[in-house]
Amino acid sequence: QTILCLPRSFEYSQKNVVLVPVAALGVGGILVYWLRSRHKIKTIEMGDGWWGSGERPLKGKEDESIRPFKIETSDKEIEDLHRRLEQARYAPPLEGAAFHYGFNSSYLQKVVAYWRNQFDWRKQVEVLNKYPHFQTTIEGITIHFIHVKPSYVPHGRAVQPLLMVHGWPGSFYEFYKIIPLLTEPAGHGLNEGDVVFEVICPSIPGYGFSEAPHQKGFDTIATARIFHKLMNRLGFKEYYLQGGDWGSRITINMAQMLPQSVKGLHLNFVFISRRGLRRMISVMLGAYVPWLVGLTKEDVRRTYPFIQKNIYEILRESGYLHIQATKPDTAGCGLNDSPVGLAAYILEKFSTWTDKSFLHKDDGGLESKYSLDELLTNVMIYWVTSSIVSSMRFYKENFSKDPSLIADARVGVYVPTGIAAFPQELVHTPHAWAKEIFKNIITYSYMPRGGHFAAFEEPKLLAQDIMQFVRKVEQL
């Protein structure tokens, strides 16, 4: 029996000689793949889309031409506006209400009187047209943008392309005060000499002079793809991005989608929606031993008392969000028909989002930071384009899905990132929390003053921070 078993055991040993190395190779291969996949940067699928009316044409290439565009107005448009302003009805405010119940109607009457009798829309159209405007067709809809180049570039200095994206209820006009600081820094007392930009400011589709999508589902990822296509169409292979509000999420998506095209990402609004045990521990310990969870004294000052600043104040300021994320067309129809209603709805945000304490002022503090001409010009961009409804729909398209299932929720941001944290921003995101998403933070600045509309309110502060960030990235 022993002799008979010898050939069989010899067979098994031969098999083992083959199987063991094969198994080792297999396990080793899986281990190598796992290690490599850990270091591989995950990206959002770029995909494609069609947002034009009806079915996408089967034949024919899209018109990729860049067309000069000019904002125009007419007597008929102005007469219609004046007639509506004259026929406005007002409900008297509660005594001592200030802005606690929303836009104070006594102050609203003053704003409307200025709008009707002193505001010069023709003059503001000239102001809007001082920068070159363009339109182009991408994925079936017309995209509007301004493109401003420096008039003079010193020898040996590279011009950095910078895409700046607005949010709601803002517009491309928010950037009019910061553009000259970025394109002509030396002429505005910013001796940042080695950094000069050419600035591209598009209107988000459905906002202002960019055509509204005709199909459902147009979210920030679709916007990110369209803006990448825009930059590519303009001849840029690499570029910087800057954004706040929706512009922040759109530019984050752009960085997640094509990190190889994004030289750097600068944000003045960061909202981290991730929750869990780690965050809970950070919040609980942060009030007592902030250093243990990576929070600074300034983080503590801006974040606590936590319930008041991160739940109560956010609930107070986000009622609009629930309406727009569920039934935007209902409220939107009324706003689209009434310029007075539209102004109250939009300008209320420019009050408390600029400074939370403005809630206690009868005039909402609006004219302490902006002029009525500036504020009403932004409102007029929504009014003359009838874009308030489509701008509100953007919330429904982005909040109608489970946040944890959205593609960008599972993808980090690996491009060089700069964060400007303004003290009056709706919510403060400490550096320690931002690192969970942004894996390559180059600069994080606690800004000395300013709120949600940073480029509109504090253009010089924001310009300096962008320049500081880009200079550091260029030195890497």
Side-chain angles (χ1 to χ4, degrees), residues 49-82:
W50 169 258
W51 308 103
S53 184
E55 295 290 323
R56 187 175 201 158
L58 295 172
K59 291 181 180 179
K61 196 180 177 188
E62 190 165 69
D63 177 11
E64 296 188 356
S65 64
I66 307 288
R67 306 177 291 275
F69 173 75
K70 198 171 183 181
I71 298 170
E72 295 177 341
T73 188
S74 65
D75 290 341
K76 186 180 176 184
E77 183 174 75
I78 295 169
E79 285 164 10
D80 175 67
L81 171 70
H82 286 175

Side-chain angles (χ1 to χ4, degrees), residues 215-270:
Q215 313 293 332
K216 293 188 292 183
F218 186 85
D219 56 11
T220 57
I221 292 175
T223 314
R225 181 179 63 245
I226 281 177
F227 287 173
H228 270 308
K229 289 181 178 182
L230 171 63
M231 293 302 277
N232 188 255
R233 195 169 288 184
L234 291 171
F236 300 115
K237 300 299 177 197
E238 288 184 313
Y239 31 89
Y240 285 93
L241 307 174
Q242 202 287 324
D245 196 88
W246 279 126
S248 170
R249 180 148 167 201
I250 291 164
T251 53
I252 288 169
N253 288 165
M254 290 179 76
Q256 293 169 317
M257 188 177 285
L258 289 179
Q260 67 274 22
S261 294
V262 179
K263 293 182 79 175
L265 169 67
H266 187 279
L267 306 169
N268 59 277
F269 178 75
V270 175

Side-chain angles (χ1 to χ4, degrees), residues 38-333:
R38 281 186 70 202
H39 294 287
K40 188 181 177 183
I41 294 174
K42 288 183 180 177
T43 57
I44 296 174
E45 186 89 20
M46 185 152 180
D48 200 6
W50 169 258
W51 308 103
S53 184
E55 295 290 323
R56 187 175 201 158
L58 295 172
K59 291 181 180 179
K61 196 180 177 188
E62 190 165 69
D63 177 11
E64 296 188 356
S65 64
I66 307 288
R67 306 177 291 275
F69 173 75
K70 198 171 183 181
I71 298 170
E72 295 177 341
T73 188
S74 65
D75 290 341
K76 186 180 176 184
E77 183 174 75
I78 295 169
E79 285 164 10
D80 175 67
L81 171 70
H82 286 175
R83 179 181 57 79
R84 291 168 187 262
L85 294 177
E86 288 162 2
Q87 293 178 352
R89 297 191 307 171
Y90 302 90
L94 294 171
E95 292 178 13
F99 263 56
H100 286 273
Y101 285 71
F103 205 104
N104 186 291
S105 59
S106 292
Y107 179 61
L108 181 60
Q109 290 180 64
K110 294 178 183 177
V111 172
V112 172
Y114 180 88
W115 197 0
R116 170 62 184 87
N117 302 314
Q118 292 172 264
F119 179 77
D120 188 342
W121 176 231
R122 290 188 185 281
K123 181 183 171 186
Q124 294 307 116
V125 165
E126 288 178 19
V127 170
L128 291 173
N129 282 328
K130 76 175 181 178
Y131 294 130
H133 291 248
F134 303 91
Q135 287 185 330
T136 189
T137 304
I138 304 177
E139 298 189 4
I141 53 176
T142 301
I143 305 300
H144 161 262
F145 62 98
I146 55 174
H147 187 180
V148 188
K149 299 179 183 181
S151 58
Y152 168 73
V153 182
H155 179 69
R157 235 170 259 172
V159 177
Q160 304 294 344
L162 174 66
L163 180 83
M164 303 188 80
V165 185
H166 66 88
W168 187 92
S171 62
F172 66 92
Y173 177 60
E174 282 181 71
F175 301 115
Y176 268 49
K177 288 187 275 189
I178 198 173
I179 286 171
L181 307 183
L182 296 169
T183 56
E184 316 284 347
H188 292 85
L190 294 173
N191 295 317
E192 310 291 345
D194 50 333
V195 180
V196 180
F197 298 94
E198 62 178 290
V199 180
I200 301 93
C201 300
S203 294
I204 298 170
Y207 288 67
F209 300 97
S210 277
E211 186 179 354
H214 297 266
Q215 313 293 332
K216 293 188 292 183
F218 186 85
D219 56 11
T220 57
I221 292 175
T223 314
R225 181 179 63 245
I226 281 177
F227 287 173
H228 270 308
K229 289 181 178 182
L230 171 63
M231 293 302 277
N232 188 255
R233 195 169 288 184
L234 291 171
F236 300 115
K237 300 299 177 197
E238 288 184 313
Y239 31 89
Y240 285 93
L241 307 174
Q242 202 287 324
D245 196 88
W246 279 126
S248 170
R249 180 148 167 201
I250 291 164
T251 53
I252 288 169
N253 288 165
M254 290 179 76
Q256 293 169 317
M257 188 177 285
L258 289 179
Q260 67 274 22
S261 294
V262 179
K263 293 182 79 175
L265 169 67
H266 187 279
L267 306 169
N268 59 277
F269 178 75
V270 175
F271 184 76
I272 307 288
S273 59
R274 287 185 184 177
R275 295 289 179 264
L277 183 61
R278 186 175 169 184
R279 177 60 55 78
M280 197 186 299
I281 292 168
S282 180
V283 167
M284 288 191 297
L285 295 179
Y288 306 101
V289 281
W291 51 269
L292 195 63
V293 288
L295 301 188
T296 66
K297 285 182 181 178
E298 187 60 20
D299 289 329
V300 172
R301 194 178 72 78
R302 296 186 184 192
T303 307
Y304 297 92
F306 189 83
I307 299 295
Q308 179 194 323
K309 292 190 175 180
N310 295 271
I311 296 177
Y312 175 70
E313 287 182 2
I314 293 297
L315 283 173
R316 187 188 69 206
E317 294 299 331
S318 59
Y320 80 98
L321 190 151
H322 191 76
I323 292 169
Q324 294 176 195
T326 52
K327 306 283 182 70
D329 286 31
T330 306
C333 286

